[in-house]
PDB file of all heavy atoms in Angstrom:
ATOM      1  N   SER A   1       0.790  -1.202  -0.003  1.00 43.00           N
ATOM      2  CA  SER A   1      -0.011   0.004   0.007  1.00 43.00           C
ATOM      3  C   SER A   1       0.839   1.273  -0.008  1.00 43.00           C
ATOM      4  O   SER A   1       0.336   2.342  -0.155  1.00 43.00           O
ATOM      5  CB  SER A   1      -0.968   0.011   1.171  1.00 43.00           C
ATOM      6  OG  SER A   1      -0.196   0.065   2.383  1.00 43.00           O
ATOM      7  N   GLU A   2       2.168   1.133   0.181  1.00 42.00           N
ATOM      8  CA  GLU A   2       3.044   2.293   0.124  1.00 42.00           C
ATOM      9  C   GLU A   2       3.216   2.729  -1.308  1.00 42.00           C
ATOM     10  O   GLU A   2       3.221   1.895  -2.207  1.00 42.00           O
ATOM     11  CB  GLU A   2       4.402   1.966   0.782  1.00 42.00           C
ATOM     12  CG  GLU A   2       4.312   1.747   2.263  1.00 42.00           C
ATOM     13  CD  GLU A   2       5.667   1.470   2.881  1.00 42.00           C
ATOM     14  OE1 GLU A   2       6.646   1.924   2.281  1.00 42.00           O
ATOM     15  OE2 GLU A   2       5.709   0.842   3.910  1.00 42.00           O
ATOM     16  N   PRO A   3       3.427   4.019  -1.542  1.00 43.00           N
ATOM     17  CA  PRO A   3       3.663   4.483  -2.903  1.00 43.00           C
ATOM     18  C   PRO A   3       4.892   3.853  -3.538  1.00 43.00           C
ATOM     19  O   PRO A   3       5.827   3.493  -2.857  1.00 43.00           O
ATOM     20  CB  PRO A   3       3.892   6.017  -2.743  1.00 43.00           C
ATOM     21  CG  PRO A   3       3.349   6.348  -1.365  1.00 43.00           C
ATOM     22  CD  PRO A   3       3.413   5.112  -0.589  1.00 43.00           C
ATOM     23  N   ALA A   4       4.845   3.768  -4.879  1.00 40.00           N
ATOM     24  CA  ALA A   4       5.958   3.135  -5.577  1.00 40.00           C
ATOM     25  C   ALA A   4       7.273   3.836  -5.316  1.00 40.00           C
ATOM     26  O   ALA A   4       8.324   3.226  -5.285  1.00 40.00           O
ATOM     27  CB  ALA A   4       5.691   3.146  -7.095  1.00 40.00           C
ATOM     28  N   ALA A   5       7.231   5.191  -5.085  1.00 42.00           N
ATOM     29  CA  ALA A   5       8.499   5.906  -4.821  1.00 42.00           C
ATOM     30  C   ALA A   5       9.139   5.361  -3.569  1.00 42.00           C
ATOM     31  O   ALA A   5      10.346   5.374  -3.468  1.00 42.00           O
ATOM     32  CB  ALA A   5       8.189   7.384  -4.699  1.00 42.00           C
ATOM     33  N   ASP A   6       8.353   4.971  -2.589  1.00 43.00           N
ATOM     34  CA  ASP A   6       8.913   4.431  -1.330  1.00 43.00           C
ATOM     35  C   ASP A   6       9.468   3.050  -1.521  1.00 43.00           C
ATOM     36  O   ASP A   6      10.304   2.615  -0.784  1.00 43.00           O
ATOM     37  CB  ASP A   6       7.836   4.439  -0.246  1.00 43.00           C
ATOM     38  CG  ASP A   6       7.453   5.859   0.190  1.00 43.00           C
ATOM     39  OD1 ASP A   6       8.275   6.762  -0.121  1.00 43.00           O
ATOM     40  OD2 ASP A   6       6.399   6.028   0.765  1.00 43.00           O
ATOM     41  N   ARG A   7       8.880   2.306  -2.470  1.00 40.00           N
ATOM     42  CA  ARG A   7       9.261   0.933  -2.636  1.00 40.00           C
ATOM     43  C   ARG A   7      10.500   0.723  -3.541  1.00 40.00           C
ATOM     44  O   ARG A   7      11.326  -0.049  -3.304  1.00 40.00           O
ATOM     45  CB  ARG A   7       8.111   0.106  -3.255  1.00 40.00           C
ATOM     46  CG  ARG A   7       7.011  -0.156  -2.219  1.00 40.00           C
ATOM     47  CD  ARG A   7       5.937  -0.994  -2.819  1.00 40.00           C
ATOM     48  NE  ARG A   7       5.064  -0.120  -3.582  1.00 40.00           N
ATOM     49  CZ  ARG A   7       4.476  -0.448  -4.706  1.00 40.00           C
ATOM     50  NH1 ARG A   7       4.629  -1.614  -5.216  1.00 40.00           N
ATOM     51  NH2 ARG A   7       3.685   0.396  -5.332  1.00 40.00           N
ATOM     52  N   ALA A   8      10.541   1.515  -4.643  1.00 45.00           N
ATOM     53  CA  ALA A   8      11.594   1.274  -5.641  1.00 45.00           C
ATOM     54  C   ALA A   8      12.424   2.485  -5.983  1.00 45.00           C
ATOM     55  O   ALA A   8      13.214   2.477  -6.881  1.00 45.00           O
ATOM     56  CB  ALA A   8      10.939   0.714  -6.924  1.00 45.00           C
ATOM     57  N   GLY A   9      12.193   3.603  -5.314  1.00 45.00           N
ATOM     58  CA  GLY A   9      12.947   4.820  -5.615  1.00 45.00           C
ATOM     59  C   GLY A   9      12.497   5.500  -6.926  1.00 45.00           C
ATOM     60  O   GLY A   9      13.180   6.352  -7.482  1.00 45.00           O
ATOM     61  N   GLU A  10      11.368   5.045  -7.488  1.00 45.00           N
ATOM     62  CA  GLU A  10      10.834   5.637  -8.696  1.00 45.00           C
ATOM     63  C   GLU A  10       9.535   6.391  -8.399  1.00 45.00           C
ATOM     64  O   GLU A  10       8.936   6.120  -7.378  1.00 45.00           O
ATOM     65  CB  GLU A  10      10.551   4.525  -9.755  1.00 45.00           C
ATOM     66  CG  GLU A  10      11.764   3.766 -10.104  1.00 45.00           C
ATOM     67  CD  GLU A  10      11.491   2.584 -11.010  1.00 45.00           C
ATOM     68  OE1 GLU A  10      10.315   2.458 -11.420  1.00 45.00           O
ATOM     69  OE2 GLU A  10      12.397   1.825 -11.300  1.00 45.00           O
ATOM     70  N   PRO A  11       9.104   7.285  -9.279  1.00 47.00           N
ATOM     71  CA  PRO A  11       7.896   7.969  -9.035  1.00 47.00           C
ATOM     72  C   PRO A  11       6.680   7.028  -9.004  1.00 47.00           C
ATOM     73  O   PRO A  11       6.655   6.045  -9.681  1.00 47.00           O
ATOM     74  CB  PRO A  11       7.723   8.959 -10.224  1.00 47.00           C
ATOM     75  CG  PRO A  11       9.023   8.901 -10.973  1.00 47.00           C
ATOM     76  CD  PRO A  11       9.812   7.670 -10.528  1.00 47.00           C
ATOM     77  N   ALA A  12       5.689   7.349  -8.175  1.00 53.00           N
ATOM     78  CA  ALA A  12       4.469   6.578  -8.151  1.00 53.00           C
ATOM     79  C   ALA A  12       3.720   6.795  -9.465  1.00 53.00           C
ATOM     80  O   ALA A  12       3.969   7.787 -10.155  1.00 53.00           O
ATOM     81  CB  ALA A  12       3.585   7.022  -6.972  1.00 53.00           C
ATOM     82  N   ALA A  13       2.877   5.856  -9.802  1.00 60.00           N
ATOM     83  CA  ALA A  13       2.127   5.940 -11.109  1.00 60.00           C
ATOM     84  C   ALA A  13       1.417   7.242 -11.250  1.00 60.00           C
ATOM     85  O   ALA A  13       1.390   7.875 -12.291  1.00 60.00           O
ATOM     86  CB  ALA A  13       1.168   4.760 -11.190  1.00 60.00           C
ATOM     87  N   GLY A  14       0.792   7.768 -10.177  1.00 61.00           N
ATOM     88  CA  GLY A  14       0.092   9.052 -10.229  1.00 61.00           C
ATOM     89  C   GLY A  14       1.021  10.204 -10.489  1.00 61.00           C
ATOM     90  O   GLY A  14       0.686  11.128 -11.231  1.00 61.00           O
ATOM     91  N   GLU A  15       2.194  10.162  -9.905  1.00 69.00           N
ATOM     92  CA  GLU A  15       3.199  11.227 -10.139  1.00 69.00           C
ATOM     93  C   GLU A  15       3.670  11.201 -11.587  1.00 69.00           C
ATOM     94  O   GLU A  15       3.854  12.249 -12.197  1.00 69.00           O
ATOM     95  CB  GLU A  15       4.374  11.088  -9.220  1.00 69.00           C
ATOM     96  CG  GLU A  15       4.023  11.331  -7.767  1.00 69.00           C
ATOM     97  CD  GLU A  15       5.129  11.033  -6.797  1.00 69.00           C
ATOM     98  OE1 GLU A  15       6.312  10.875  -7.268  1.00 69.00           O
ATOM     99  OE2 GLU A  15       4.901  10.910  -5.634  1.00 69.00           O
ATOM    100  N   ASP A  16       3.844  10.023 -12.181  1.00 93.00           N
ATOM    101  CA  ASP A  16       4.249   9.912 -13.529  1.00 93.00           C
ATOM    102  C   ASP A  16       3.183  10.488 -14.468  1.00 93.00           C
ATOM    103  O   ASP A  16       3.450  11.238 -15.385  1.00 93.00           O
ATOM    104  CB  ASP A  16       4.527   8.413 -13.896  1.00 93.00           C
ATOM    105  CG  ASP A  16       4.941   8.261 -15.355  1.00 93.00           C
ATOM    106  OD1 ASP A  16       5.850   8.971 -15.740  1.00 93.00           O
ATOM    107  OD2 ASP A  16       4.341   7.436 -16.066  1.00 93.00           O
ATOM    108  N   PHE A  17       1.879  10.174 -14.169  1.00 95.00           N
ATOM    109  CA  PHE A  17       0.800  10.697 -14.951  1.00 95.00           C
ATOM    110  C   PHE A  17       0.801  12.255 -14.865  1.00 95.00           C
ATOM    111  O   PHE A  17       0.693  12.942 -15.853  1.00 95.00           O
ATOM    112  CB  PHE A  17      -0.532  10.160 -14.498  1.00 95.00           C
ATOM    113  CG  PHE A  17      -1.699  10.605 -15.310  1.00 95.00           C
ATOM    114  CD1 PHE A  17      -2.003  10.074 -16.562  1.00 95.00           C
ATOM    115  CD2 PHE A  17      -2.592  11.593 -14.854  1.00 95.00           C
ATOM    116  CE1 PHE A  17      -3.084  10.486 -17.317  1.00 95.00           C
ATOM    117  CE2 PHE A  17      -3.649  12.039 -15.574  1.00 95.00           C
ATOM    118  CZ  PHE A  17      -3.931  11.475 -16.851  1.00 95.00           C
ATOM    119  N   ALA A  18       0.993  12.740 -13.666  1.00 96.00           N
ATOM    120  CA  ALA A  18       1.035  14.206 -13.470  1.00 96.00           C
ATOM    121  C   ALA A  18       2.133  14.840 -14.255  1.00 96.00           C
ATOM    122  O   ALA A  18       1.934  15.889 -14.925  1.00 96.00           O
ATOM    123  CB  ALA A  18       1.123  14.544 -11.966  1.00 96.00           C
ATOM    124  N   SER A  19       3.289  14.301 -14.210  1.00 96.00           N
ATOM    125  CA  SER A  19       4.444  14.865 -14.953  1.00 96.00           C
ATOM    126  C   SER A  19       4.198  14.844 -16.445  1.00 96.00           C
ATOM    127  O   SER A  19       4.568  15.791 -17.161  1.00 96.00           O
ATOM    128  CB  SER A  19       5.774  14.222 -14.589  1.00 96.00           C
ATOM    129  OG  SER A  19       5.781  12.868 -14.974  1.00 96.00           O
ATOM    130  N   ARG A  20       3.540  13.785 -16.930  1.00 97.00           N
ATOM    131  CA  ARG A  20       3.228  13.661 -18.342  1.00 97.00           C
ATOM    132  C   ARG A  20       2.164  14.693 -18.767  1.00 97.00           C
ATOM    133  O   ARG A  20       2.243  15.315 -19.805  1.00 97.00           O
ATOM    134  CB  ARG A  20       2.812  12.255 -18.679  1.00 97.00           C
ATOM    135  CG  ARG A  20       3.936  11.249 -18.567  1.00 97.00           C
ATOM    136  CD  ARG A  20       3.570   9.801 -18.661  1.00 97.00           C
ATOM    137  NE  ARG A  20       2.703   9.549 -19.821  1.00 97.00           N
ATOM    138  CZ  ARG A  20       1.715   8.671 -19.809  1.00 97.00           C
ATOM    139  NH1 ARG A  20       1.404   7.975 -18.728  1.00 97.00           N
ATOM    140  NH2 ARG A  20       1.017   8.452 -20.922  1.00 97.00           N
ATOM    141  N   VAL A  21       1.168  14.887 -17.885  1.00 97.00           N
ATOM    142  CA  VAL A  21       0.151  15.913 -18.154  1.00 97.00           C
ATOM    143  C   VAL A  21       0.815  17.262 -18.237  1.00 97.00           C
ATOM    144  O   VAL A  21       0.577  18.051 -19.191  1.00 97.00           O
ATOM    145  CB  VAL A  21      -0.934  15.918 -17.056  1.00 97.00           C
ATOM    146  CG1 VAL A  21      -1.775  17.207 -17.124  1.00 97.00           C
ATOM    147  CG2 VAL A  21      -1.821  14.705 -17.184  1.00 97.00           C
ATOM    148  N   LEU A  22       1.633  17.571 -17.308  1.00 97.00           N
ATOM    149  CA  LEU A  22       2.280  18.895 -17.288  1.00 97.00           C
ATOM    150  C   LEU A  22       3.218  19.129 -18.480  1.00 97.00           C
ATOM    151  O   LEU A  22       3.297  20.209 -19.011  1.00 97.00           O
ATOM    152  CB  LEU A  22       3.057  19.090 -15.953  1.00 97.00           C
ATOM    153  CG  LEU A  22       2.180  19.104 -14.721  1.00 97.00           C
ATOM    154  CD1 LEU A  22       3.046  19.137 -13.455  1.00 97.00           C
ATOM    155  CD2 LEU A  22       1.169  20.226 -14.702  1.00 97.00           C
ATOM    156  N   ALA A  23       3.835  18.060 -18.946  1.00 97.00           N
ATOM    157  CA  ALA A  23       4.699  18.173 -20.164  1.00 97.00           C
ATOM    158  C   ALA A  23       3.848  18.482 -21.371  1.00 97.00           C
ATOM    159  O   ALA A  23       4.207  19.317 -22.190  1.00 97.00           O
ATOM    160  CB  ALA A  23       5.486  16.889 -20.328  1.00 97.00           C
ATOM    161  N   VAL A  24       2.684  17.809 -21.506  1.00 98.00           N
ATOM    162  CA  VAL A  24       1.811  18.144 -22.655  1.00 98.00           C
ATOM    163  C   VAL A  24       1.322  19.558 -22.605  1.00 98.00           C
ATOM    164  O   VAL A  24       1.359  20.280 -23.593  1.00 98.00           O
ATOM    165  CB  VAL A  24       0.597  17.135 -22.692  1.00 98.00           C
ATOM    166  CG1 VAL A  24      -0.461  17.557 -23.716  1.00 98.00           C
ATOM    167  CG2 VAL A  24       1.076  15.699 -22.999  1.00 98.00           C
ATOM    168  N   VAL A  25       0.855  20.002 -21.408  1.00 98.00           N
ATOM    169  CA  VAL A  25       0.352  21.364 -21.279  1.00 98.00           C
ATOM    170  C   VAL A  25       1.428  22.373 -21.596  1.00 98.00           C
ATOM    171  O   VAL A  25       1.214  23.340 -22.284  1.00 98.00           O
ATOM    172  CB  VAL A  25      -0.223  21.587 -19.891  1.00 98.00           C
ATOM    173  CG1 VAL A  25      -0.608  23.039 -19.661  1.00 98.00           C
ATOM    174  CG2 VAL A  25      -1.409  20.698 -19.639  1.00 98.00           C
ATOM    175  N   ASP A  26       2.641  22.092 -21.129  1.00 98.00           N
ATOM    176  CA  ASP A  26       3.792  23.000 -21.363  1.00 98.00           C
ATOM    177  C   ASP A  26       4.135  23.088 -22.849  1.00 98.00           C
ATOM    178  O   ASP A  26       4.705  24.070 -23.299  1.00 98.00           O
ATOM    179  CB  ASP A  26       4.995  22.502 -20.563  1.00 98.00           C
ATOM    180  CG  ASP A  26       5.991  23.667 -20.294  1.00 98.00           C
ATOM    181  OD1 ASP A  26       5.535  24.805 -20.123  1.00 98.00           O
ATOM    182  OD2 ASP A  26       7.159  23.389 -20.277  1.00 98.00           O
ATOM    183  N   SER A  27       3.742  22.089 -23.622  1.00 98.00           N
ATOM    184  CA  SER A  27       4.039  22.089 -25.081  1.00 98.00           C
ATOM    185  C   SER A  27       3.002  22.784 -25.946  1.00 98.00           C
ATOM    186  O   SER A  27       3.221  22.945 -27.151  1.00 98.00           O
ATOM    187  CB  SER A  27       4.207  20.605 -25.581  1.00 98.00           C
ATOM    188  OG  SER A  27       2.984  19.998 -25.670  1.00 98.00           O
ATOM    189  N   ILE A  28       1.920  23.199 -25.330  1.00 98.00           N
ATOM    190  CA  ILE A  28       0.832  23.858 -26.097  1.00 98.00           C
ATOM    191  C   ILE A  28       1.355  25.275 -26.477  1.00 98.00           C
ATOM    192  O   ILE A  28       1.705  26.053 -25.645  1.00 98.00           O
ATOM    193  CB  ILE A  28      -0.463  23.995 -25.299  1.00 98.00           C
ATOM    194  CG1 ILE A  28      -0.978  22.596 -24.847  1.00 98.00           C
ATOM    195  CG2 ILE A  28      -1.522  24.686 -26.150  1.00 98.00           C
ATOM    196  CD1 ILE A  28      -2.129  22.643 -23.893  1.00 98.00           C
ATOM    197  N   PRO A  29       1.360  25.588 -27.784  1.00 98.00           N
ATOM    198  CA  PRO A  29       1.918  26.927 -28.209  1.00 98.00           C
ATOM    199  C   PRO A  29       0.967  28.092 -27.785  1.00 98.00           C
ATOM    200  O   PRO A  29      -0.214  27.886 -27.621  1.00 98.00           O
ATOM    201  CB  PRO A  29       1.945  26.824 -29.704  1.00 98.00           C
ATOM    202  CG  PRO A  29       1.578  25.436 -30.120  1.00 98.00           C
ATOM    203  CD  PRO A  29       0.981  24.747 -28.905  1.00 98.00           C
ATOM    204  N   PRO A  30       1.570  29.284 -27.644  1.00 98.00           N
ATOM    205  CA  PRO A  30       0.746  30.446 -27.327  1.00 98.00           C
ATOM    206  C   PRO A  30      -0.367  30.607 -28.401  1.00 98.00           C
ATOM    207  O   PRO A  30      -0.145  30.387 -29.583  1.00 98.00           O
ATOM    208  CB  PRO A  30       1.742  31.596 -27.446  1.00 98.00           C
ATOM    209  CG  PRO A  30       3.066  30.928 -27.158  1.00 98.00           C
ATOM    210  CD  PRO A  30       2.963  29.571 -27.760  1.00 98.00           C
ATOM    211  N   GLY A  31      -1.538  31.014 -27.920  1.00 98.00           N
ATOM    212  CA  GLY A  31      -2.667  31.257 -28.839  1.00 98.00           C
ATOM    213  C   GLY A  31      -3.434  29.980 -29.154  1.00 98.00           C
ATOM    214  O   GLY A  31      -4.423  30.045 -29.918  1.00 98.00           O
ATOM    215  N   ARG A  32      -3.000  28.858 -28.673  1.00 98.00           N
ATOM    216  CA  ARG A  32      -3.658  27.568 -28.925  1.00 98.00           C
ATOM    217  C   ARG A  32      -4.121  26.965 -27.622  1.00 98.00           C
ATOM    218  O   ARG A  32      -3.598  27.349 -26.525  1.00 98.00           O
ATOM    219  CB  ARG A  32      -2.700  26.633 -29.588  1.00 98.00           C
ATOM    220  CG  ARG A  32      -2.074  27.132 -30.917  1.00 98.00           C
ATOM    221  CD  ARG A  32      -3.052  27.486 -32.008  1.00 98.00           C
ATOM    222  NE  ARG A  32      -3.839  26.324 -32.479  1.00 98.00           N
ATOM    223  CZ  ARG A  32      -3.434  25.499 -33.403  1.00 98.00           C
ATOM    224  NH1 ARG A  32      -2.290  25.635 -33.989  1.00 98.00           N
ATOM    225  NH2 ARG A  32      -4.228  24.466 -33.769  1.00 98.00           N
ATOM    226  N   VAL A  33      -5.074  26.019 -27.645  1.00 98.00           N
ATOM    227  CA  VAL A  33      -5.571  25.380 -26.442  1.00 98.00           C
ATOM    228  C   VAL A  33      -5.815  23.907 -26.712  1.00 98.00           C
ATOM    229  O   VAL A  33      -5.887  23.464 -27.876  1.00 98.00           O
ATOM    230  CB  VAL A  33      -6.897  26.011 -25.955  1.00 98.00           C
ATOM    231  CG1 VAL A  33      -6.744  27.458 -25.604  1.00 98.00           C
ATOM    232  CG2 VAL A  33      -8.012  25.800 -27.001  1.00 98.00           C
ATOM    233  N   MET A  34      -5.968  23.198 -25.647  1.00 98.00           N
ATOM    234  CA  MET A  34      -6.416  21.765 -25.658  1.00 98.00           C
ATOM    235  C   MET A  34      -7.448  21.624 -24.575  1.00 98.00           C
ATOM    236  O   MET A  34      -7.400  22.342 -23.558  1.00 98.00           O
ATOM    237  CB  MET A  34      -5.256  20.814 -25.384  1.00 98.00           C
ATOM    238  CG  MET A  34      -4.179  20.766 -26.476  1.00 98.00           C
ATOM    239  SD  MET A  34      -2.814  19.668 -26.084  1.00 98.00           S
ATOM    240  CE  MET A  34      -3.530  18.078 -26.432  1.00 98.00           C
TER     241      MET A  34
END
């Protein structure tokens, strides 16, 4: 039940999803939206 980061030194699945979301959002050019 402990987060993956505590078990293997890697980000938990939710943290990985969050970082991927933020990377997509950061790639949206000015004047455009998703």
